[in-house]
Amino acid sequence: MALLFMSSAWDNDTWLNRTRAIDGNIDLRGWPDMGNVDDIRYAMVWKPPAGELAKLPNLQVIFSLGAGVDHIFQDPDLPDCPVVRTVDENLTMRMSEYVVLHVLMHHRQVRRYDTQQAAKVWQGHIQAGADEVRIGVLGMGVLGSDAARKLAVLGFKVAGWSNTRKSVDGVESFAGQSELKAFLNRTDILVSLLPLTPDTKGFINRDLLRELARDGEGAGPVLINTGRGGVQVEADILAALEADELQAATLDVFETEPLPEASALWSHPRVTVTPHNSADSDPRALCGSVLEQIHRFEAGKPLENQVDRARYY
Ligand code: NDP
Ligand code: OXD
């Protein structure tokens, strides 16, 4: 039995060394040096090059080294075997840190005070309390639910929207298309943690942004997208900012990554750009999770966090 690490984006040594440090006996391969492909039963992947997984005739499980799996499903030759995604406390903690940080940054007008400091201006501005600000989280899965819960603890009025209704302490739940408008109409700061699927592609567009609340006491409307770039229409975000339909945005993910130098988002005074690193996959945490799942599978136990191929997430 061999385990293959395959990524077109990450360096082999870090992942291979970490996996070997946990299990020195495992037959571990690093793409593109796959050796005899007949031996490979498991692949842990991030952005695998299209067509490469199809070269493994005995592949039994594909492990995504991230919470998202769109990077796997874009392969037209994807083998028909279970796909398992990352659900990991370390990743969840990092994502919630990012969401809370950027909600607070907009709420407490941090960029405005940075500009004032550069100009040596001593001037305070009206500051709403957290209990006057309505946050809406699109996508109430593992990551969205944790971030929503932590924002509610800070005192924000938090709601979440997802396919199915959720029960999270202190968080109002909206579900399905029929409740989307009501959810947006009560939202000052919109946080997206939606996966990229055929249903969510281009979902955050001008029409959606126009539905956000405009009668808030504090920051808003504000967009924070840290899910996937394909879920947003960047031309619409820029147009909404110009039309003052959107006050500010924090974007960690983009339609094209890395964000092209020519993108107007880079230098927009009300946009904060980060390089898709709100919740990095940490090899120290994730290699152990993959090995644990392999042990479970080999012992005849069911895989955890298997992706439903029909839903794409
Ligand atoms: P989950 O699968 O746990 O959650 C996805 C949520 O989105 C679920 O609540 C689901 O609803 C909801 N959803 C999906 N499609 C729709 C739809 N069409 N309409 C309404 N709701 C929908 O994923 P995670 O929370 O673990 O991760 C979310 C995403 O975050 C990942 O897919 C990934 O793209 C992104 N991510 C980004 C990172 C970064 O560094 N920027 C790091 C890690 C993840 P329901 O629960 O009802 O099924
Ligand atoms: C993920 C990511 O999906 O880092 O985990 O984008």
Side-chain angles (χ1 to χ4, degrees):
M1 178 280 273
L3 166 64
L4 175 72
F5 169 76
M6 181 187 282
S7 173
S8 61
W10 293 342
D11 124 79
N12 278 14
D13 286 349
T14 310
W15 290 87
L16 296 180
N17 291 343
R18 180 58 200 156
T19 309
R20 282 199 189 102
I22 303 170
D23 183 347
N25 296 321
I26 193 160
D27 179 353
L28 191 60
R29 319 267 173 95
W31 181 84
D33 300 325
M34 299 196 282
N36 181 356
V37 292
D38 292 348
D39 305 336
I40 297 172
R41 290 224 221 122
Y42 305 103
M44 51 179 184
V45 307
W46 180 252
K47 299 189 178 168
E52 288 300 292
L53 289 167
K55 293 179 182 167
L56 310 175
N58 297 319
L59 190 62
Q60 292 188 8
V61 186
I62 300 168
F63 295 95
S64 168
L65 291 173
V69 285
D70 49 299
H71 64 109
I72 294 174
F73 286 129
Q74 68 195 12
D75 182 348
D77 301 316
L78 189 65
D80 184 19
C81 63
V83 174
V84 168
R85 71 187 195 94
T86 293
V87 173
D88 179 78
E89 273 176 24
N90 181 285
L91 191 86
T92 306
M93 172 189 73
R94 288 165 187 257
M95 181 56 82
S96 292
E97 280 172 18
Y98 183 93
V99 172
V100 169
L101 170 71
H102 286 270
V103 164
L104 288 174
M105 181 189 82
H106 292 289
H107 169 59
R108 296 304 304 238
Q109 310 175 63
V110 170
R111 290 197 61 173
R112 186 177 202 179
Y113 288 111
D114 280 348
T115 309
Q116 285 191 190
Q117 182 178 346
K120 301 186 180 165
V121 172
W122 181 274
Q123 190 190 346
H125 300 278
I126 293 171
Q127 178 61 55
D131 60 349
E132 296 170 288
V133 178
R134 298 159 294 181
I135 316 276
V137 179
L138 284 173
M140 284 290 287
V142 174
L143 302 180
S145 297
D146 191 69
R149 190 179 305 112
K150 286 172 178 163
L151 289 165
V153 168
L154 288 174
F156 290 103
K157 288 184 175 146
V158 187
W161 181 78
S162 41
N163 263 326
T164 54
R165 201 168 301 290
K166 305 292 175 199
S167 172
V168 175
D169 264 2
V171 180
E172 191 181 355
S173 175
F174 291 79
Q177 284 299 328
S178 62
E179 295 180 16
L180 178 61
K181 184 171 161 35
F183 164 81
L184 295 169
N185 290 171
R186 54 72 63 206
T187 293
D188 301 308
I189 301 181
L190 181 69
V191 176
S192 179
L193 272 162
L194 283 172
L196 178 59
T197 70
D199 287 339
T200 63
K201 190 167 168 36
F203 186 72
I204 303 175
N205 58 23
R206 188 93 182 255
D207 289 343
L208 180 142
L209 294 171
R210 281 190 174 129
E211 292 293 344
L212 293 171
R214 266 163 237 297
D215 58 351
E217 297 296 326
V222 167
L223 168 68
I224 298 174
N225 185 9
T226 184
R228 277 293 181 270
V231 174
Q232 72 201 10
V233 180
E234 284 161 20
D236 285 7
I237 293 172
L238 285 162
L241 285 161
E242 288 322 304
D244 277 336
E245 292 163 8
L246 192 61
Q247 286 311 311
T250 287
L251 305 174
D252 183 54
V253 288
F254 301 90
E255 287 174 53
T256 303
E257 295 182 3
L259 181 62
E261 229 178 288
S263 170
L265 292 168
W266 278 116
S267 51
H268 197 289
R270 288 182 280 134
V271 176
T272 299
V273 168
T274 54
H276 193 148
N277 70 343
S278 55
D280 276 343
S281 294
D282 182 348
R284 287 170 304 175
L286 269 51
C287 295
S289 304
V290 170
L291 291 175
E292 241 178 77
Q293 289 261 35
I294 292 174
H295 293 317
R296 283 177 60 87
F297 186 72
E298 300 246 310
K301 295 185 184 154
L303 290 162
E304 296 168 322
N305 310 313
Q306 191 174 332
V307 174
D308 178 347
R309 280 192 176 223
R311 293 190 319 183
Y312 294 89
Y313 69 94

